[in-house]
Amino acid sequence: MNNKKKNDSQSDFSYYGLYLLEYLRTNKFEQATDESFIRERADRAAETYERARLDGYPSEGAQELAMNTLLERLRHSKYSILREVVENEFHEEIAEKNRDAFIEKLLPLVGNNFSVYDLSDDNFALSPDYNRLYTELTGSIAFYLEEHGV
């Protein structure tokens, strides 16, 4: 019954709330279980859309502004960055069917790699820091695979 109550409260999310919930879950952000965070973000996105339309933006432009508001400072999760490294650099070593489990297992082991970087910066992927983190993670994964005979 507790599960049903949780699902019922999530089913009354707005379009933006449902979009954000799916995004947070897919990219394994901590906020995926924070209903008030999701509602507040969704409300701000809807307000942004409404203001933009009243200011004369076409619906596509207003939607773009709303999505920027919705996802602000949520562009990069530890999980999604680690997944990118595994898919790009270790696709031959880690079979696609095993990647999620591998990433989940590895994430706590490489957590310190992320500690010196600001993942909340929306432009992080365009920065030299992203390249450094990518390289560090590649090395950590290679070391892990070597140590564990994979």
Side-chain angles (χ1 to χ4, degrees), residues 9 35 38 41 44 47 51 76 82 91 100 121-122 126 137:
S9 67
E35 191 174 313
I38 295 168
R41 280 288 180 110
R44 281 189 14 222
E47 290 167 9
R51 260 184 277 121
H76 313 286
L82 188 57
H91 59 275
D100 282 334
D121 177 359
D122 287 341
L126 304 174
L137 290 172

Side-chain angles (χ1 to χ4, degrees), residues 26-29 75-89 103 107 110 113-114 117-121 124-125 129-138 141:
T26 299
N27 293 291
K28 308 216 187 284
F29 280 94
R75 304 282 186 208
H76 313 286
S77 71
K78 294 174 183 178
Y79 177 85
S80 64
I81 293 170
L82 188 57
R83 182 169 191 72
E84 181 179 0
V85 173
V86 169
E87 288 176 348
N88 292 342
E89 307 299 330
I103 293 165
L107 197 53
V110 298
N113 292 78
F114 294 98
Y117 300 102
D118 181 11
L119 303 184
S120 68
D121 177 359
F124 178 68
D129 281 347
Y130 179 83
N131 293 332
R132 280 191 284 279
L133 175 59
Y134 190 99
T135 301
E136 288 175 22
L137 290 172
T138 301
I141 295 167

Side-chain angles (χ1 to χ4, degrees), residues 14-54:
S14 68
Y15 163 79
Y16 292 116
L18 291 172
Y19 182 94
L20 182 58
L21 177 63
E22 180 63 22
Y23 179 83
L24 295 172
R25 284 180 175 169
T26 299
N27 293 291
K28 308 216 187 284
F29 280 94
E30 298 169 354
Q31 297 93 328
T33 58
D34 188 343
E35 191 174 313
S36 62
F37 174 83
I38 295 168
R39 288 188 189 284
E40 185 272 327
R41 280 288 180 110
D43 289 347
R44 281 189 14 222
E47 290 167 9
T48 298
Y49 180 86
E50 186 176 329
R51 260 184 277 121
R53 291 294 287 150
L54 291 172

